[in-house]
Amino acid sequence: MDNGDKSWMNHLRWTEEYAAGVNYFLDKAFERASQGNEILCPCKKCMNRYWHYRNVVEGHLVVHGFVDNYTKWVFHGEPVSSRNTLHPINDDEGSNLRDDIDGLLHDTFRNVEGESVHEEGVRQGLSEDAKKFFKLLEEGKQELYPGCENFNKLNFTIRLYLFKSLHGLSNVSFSDLLDLIREAFPFAQIPESFNKARQVIKDLGLHYEKIHACPNDCMLFWKDNEKVDNCSVCGTSRWKSVGDASTNSRSKIPAKVLRYFPLKPRLQRIFMCSEIAVAMRWHANERPNDGNLRHPADGEAWKDFDRLYPDFSRDPRNVRLGLSSDGFNPFRTMSISHSSWPVMLMNYNLSPWICMKPEYIMLSMIIPGPSSPGNDIDVYLQPLIAELKELWEPGRETYDAETDQTFRMRAALLWTVSDFPALAMLSGWSTKGKLACPTCNYDTCSQYLEHSRKMCYLGHRRVLPSDHKLRKDKKSFDGKEEHRPAPTPLSGIEVLEELHEFNNVFGKGKKKRPRDNKGPWKKRSIFFELPYWAHNKLRHNLDVMHIEKNICDSLLGTLLEIDGKSKDHVNSRNDLQEMGIRKELQPIEDNDGNVSLAQSCFSMKPE
């Protein structure tokens, strides 16, 4: 088969040519773009959104066929060229994260379509936003056309908007499609244009704001700087020029765009559904209080926050949030180097069996690539921090569908959840070098291993109880007994006092820190602008997934002596000799200069 020939995709699905082509596609996809034993399924049903095993993908492609026009396999390892891209550069709504956003939007739209609201609430003294929301839902219940059972005006508009996003239609193409449908079905209630359909989405509170950013991550062109054309830090233009070969003209487009999803209307919308409004009180009204740790509300950090701010904790409807962020490649293939950073918010008022479901996790913003924002992530977090400050004091007047009354909703960010590198970005503490541990901070016990060429962090016995037997076990560790107390973590107040005069410098062009910025701190985190952040007992968490996976990989690789995965190698044995410990594991050199390694007690080799 010719590697570039994809004509078999147009053959009937029961032919030998099509079957051979599918196998060729699967071989290439698993070679280039698999994650574990799964790849994205490109069938018409899954549409490159769901991961499946090979036999499942093969079955889908035979039964359903490939998604239309998927001849450039960009999600399965083929490079993306500027002439053949799924995301046109002139499409306002297009982005490299399109398919990931679609999944979130689909769950949100599904909830909106099925929301149950108190119709009496429309007649009460509600805010203008709530009135508009209820009015939209009431109007949306109208039949698409007389006798239509499958669609009403609202869900058809939402489906149309999803169709545009899924298939990458431009604004003009979408408007032309609406004209064609309206001409064919003049009696149906079809939106007049793309802008009308988008306005419906905006009125539902599902829109996002576009905020231009400096290409070097120095600043946002936002608020007072909204109309500025050049970065005030590095002087770079906010625009880039793009030429149109067909018209021989050039136009200016923003060089970098932050997509921000406003938080306040989304939190208000939660309480417009009576069932979810009840669920928002679960942590106070339904949570078992038997001393077991099942939910963040059972932890010390939550209880300490309640003691410090009794006015906030008095109303269980006030929202407790957690923030998480990590980089990912929107093309889902390692052949393209790209890192976009979504920032997610978790709603901890809800019960543990629903608070981590996709439809209840809020996408706060999408920080664009192609590279990680790194230490400059604070620049992009400014809109979110501004909203969180408003939600703390004075709060937001919100309609509660469960009580059919309004109340002043407040919200607080309790902590962040991330992997170790992202913890450095969010907290400002450097997670590299001699003082990499943010818990041990300045009391971190570390040593550089000359042969392995990496830092080693020792002294873990310090966190054991003072009478633990391992504290006196010299042979298994470094030949010494351990009598030091556990290190004391820095409180938020201590961190804030230490960084009181710290000079934050953001931007890729400003890598050198001023001389007065010393130690392991890279910045004073923007989270300290929140009035309560310095008093939070637990400000940053490491996610369990990365820790479990990395430690499990290292343990299994070492126990089974897997090449390239084992941590027990010649360099590590030489480091033991350098440190003067574990003589039974140190390398042995014979008279001819050959080095041999004694078998370790943890080896699981058959011999």
Side-chain angles (χ1 to χ4, degrees), residues 211-281:
I211 304 175
H212 296 178
C214 170
N216 294 322
D217 302 333
C218 303
M219 61 172 283
L220 294 179
F221 297 96
W222 179 62
K223 286 193 172 180
D224 295 340
N225 298 317
E226 186 175 0
K227 297 184 179 180
V228 177
D229 286 329
N230 295 88
C231 175
S232 60
V233 178
C234 66
T236 304
S237 173
R238 70 190 285 183
W239 310 102
K240 62 181 179 181
S241 181
V242 176
D244 188 343
S246 60
T247 60
N248 198 24
S249 61
R250 303 191 70 83
S251 59
K252 292 196 305 182
I253 63 172
K256 205 165 192 177
V257 179
L258 168 69
R259 287 169 170 81
Y260 178 68
F261 298 79
L263 178 61
K264 292 192 289 287
R266 301 173 81 184
L267 293 180
Q268 287 178 304
R269 194 172 68 247
I270 288 175
F271 289 95
M272 292 181 183
C273 174
S274 58
E275 287 85 356
I276 303 180
V278 172
M280 289 292 287
R281 299 171 173 84

Side-chain angles (χ1 to χ4, degrees), residues 191-446:
E192 297 178 4
S193 64
F194 165 74
N195 289 331
K196 293 287 185 180
R198 182 167 58 178
Q199 187 60 43
V200 172
I201 305 302
K202 186 174 182 180
D203 291 341
L204 285 172
L206 301 175
H207 67 292
Y208 63 83
E209 298 175 2
K210 291 183 177 181
I211 304 175
H212 296 178
C214 170
N216 294 322
D217 302 333
C218 303
M219 61 172 283
L220 294 179
F221 297 96
W222 179 62
K223 286 193 172 180
D224 295 340
N225 298 317
E226 186 175 0
K227 297 184 179 180
V228 177
D229 286 329
N230 295 88
C231 175
S232 60
V233 178
C234 66
T236 304
S237 173
R238 70 190 285 183
W239 310 102
K240 62 181 179 181
S241 181
V242 176
D244 188 343
S246 60
T247 60
N248 198 24
S249 61
R250 303 191 70 83
S251 59
K252 292 196 305 182
I253 63 172
K256 205 165 192 177
V257 179
L258 168 69
R259 287 169 170 81
Y260 178 68
F261 298 79
L263 178 61
K264 292 192 289 287
R266 301 173 81 184
L267 293 180
Q268 287 178 304
R269 194 172 68 247
I270 288 175
F271 289 95
M272 292 181 183
C273 174
S274 58
E275 287 85 356
I276 303 180
V278 172
M280 289 292 287
R281 299 171 173 84
W282 182 90
H283 67 96
N285 299 339
E286 301 179 47
R287 175 175 58 90
N289 194 6
D290 55 5
N292 293 323
L293 186 62
R294 298 185 179 89
H295 186 271
D298 298 315
E300 292 184 16
W302 186 296
K303 296 175 182 177
D304 187 68
F305 193 89
D306 285 349
R307 286 192 295 268
L308 289 172
Y309 305 104
D311 290 341
F312 181 88
S313 61
R314 192 170 293 119
D315 191 340
R317 293 173 295 188
N318 288 332
V319 186
R320 322 281 182 121
L321 300 171
L323 181 146
S324 182
S325 184
D326 198 1
F328 79 107
N329 186 341
F331 298 105
R332 298 188 179 97
T333 170
M334 299 307 295
S335 64
I336 300 172
S337 178
H338 192 105
S339 181
S340 294
W341 282 70
V343 175
M344 319 294 290
L345 292 173
M346 282 71 68
N347 182 351
Y348 291 122
N349 283 43
L350 302 170
S351 59
W353 49 85
I354 64 172
C355 70
M356 288 300 172
K357 288 191 175 181
E359 52 264 38
Y360 295 103
I361 295 178
M362 294 175 284
L363 177 63
S364 177
M365 67 182 67
I366 302 172
I367 302 174
S371 59
S372 164
N375 193 48
D376 306 320
I377 194 172
D378 284 13
V379 173
Y380 296 96
L381 291 174
Q382 291 179 79
L384 175 61
I385 297 300
E387 275 202 284
L388 287 172
K389 289 163 72 175
E390 293 178 22
L391 285 167
W392 176 253
E393 192 66 44
R396 186 84 166 190
E397 199 71 21
T398 302
Y399 173 71
D400 183 354
E402 198 271 330
T403 62
D404 200 17
Q405 295 176 347
T406 60
F407 74 104
R408 186 160 294 277
M409 176 190 64
R410 300 172 64 191
L413 180 68
L414 297 185
W415 49 62
T416 70
V417 182
S418 63
D419 60 8
F420 206 48
L423 185 143
M425 295 168 52
L426 295 169
S427 69
W429 180 277
S430 176
T431 55
K432 298 178 181 179
K434 294 182 178 180
L435 304 178
C437 179
T439 301
C440 299
N441 49 78
Y442 294 105
D443 205 12
T444 301
C445 184
S446 60

Side-chain angles (χ1 to χ4, degrees), residues 14-27:
W14 54 82
T15 60
E16 294 183 1
E17 292 83 356
Y18 183 83
V22 167
N23 284 323
Y24 167 75
F25 164 80
L26 293 173
D27 291 340

Side-chain angles (χ1 to χ4, degrees), residues 187 600 605:
F187 44 83
S600 59
K605 274 193 170 183

Side-chain angles (χ1 to χ4, degrees), residues 176-187:
D176 290 343
L177 176 62
L178 292 179
D179 291 339
L180 179 62
I181 298 176
R182 195 167 51 254
E183 184 177 347
F185 304 97
F187 44 83

Side-chain angles (χ1 to χ4, degrees), residues 426-553:
L426 295 169
S427 69
W429 180 277
S430 176
T431 55
K432 298 178 181 179
K434 294 182 178 180
L435 304 178
C437 179
T439 301
C440 299
N441 49 78
Y442 294 105
D443 205 12
T444 301
C445 184
S446 60
Q447 179 178 347
Y448 183 75
L449 304 180
E450 294 288 345
H451 298 278
S452 298
R453 297 182 181 179
K454 60 177 66 177
M455 293 297 300
C456 177
Y457 302 96
L458 309 170
H460 303 93
R461 289 181 291 166
R462 298 174 61 188
V463 300
L464 296 173
S466 57
D467 58 347
H468 199 283
K469 63 180 182 179
L470 289 181
R471 280 182 170 268
K472 296 183 178 181
D473 186 352
K474 297 187 291 185
K475 181 179 179 181
S476 301
F477 295 95
D478 58 0
K480 302 177 183 177
E481 293 185 3
E482 180 61 84
H483 298 290
R484 293 176 297 173
T488 303
L490 292 173
S491 68
I493 297 296
E494 291 172 329
V495 173
L496 191 57
E497 289 177 355
E498 184 172 344
L499 300 178
H500 179 66
E501 298 182 354
F502 194 95
N503 184 18
N504 282 345
V505 179
F506 296 120
K508 295 295 188 289
K510 300 287 182 180
K511 282 297 182 184
K512 292 185 178 179
R513 292 184 293 177
R515 293 180 180 178
D516 56 336
N517 293 348
K518 299 178 181 179
W521 293 103
K522 300 191 294 182
K523 65 181 177 183
R524 181 178 62 256
S525 174
I526 193 173
F527 294 115
F528 282 106
E529 293 185 12
L530 299 173
Y532 49 84
W533 188 256
H535 302 281
N536 284 7
K537 190 169 187 177
L538 182 63
R539 297 177 301 282
H540 302 283
N541 298 271
L542 291 172
D543 69 90
V544 178
M545 183 273 292
H546 280 86
I547 297 173
E548 286 185 340
K549 178 184 181 300
N550 295 343
I551 292 179
C552 181
D553 287 348

Side-chain angles (χ1 to χ4, degrees), residues 551-570:
I551 292 179
C552 181
D553 287 348
S554 297
L555 283 175
L556 292 178
T558 303
L559 294 174
L560 301 177
E561 298 188 22
I562 302 174
D563 291 339
K565 299 290 185 180
S566 175
K567 303 300 180 183
D568 182 24
H569 42 67
V570 175

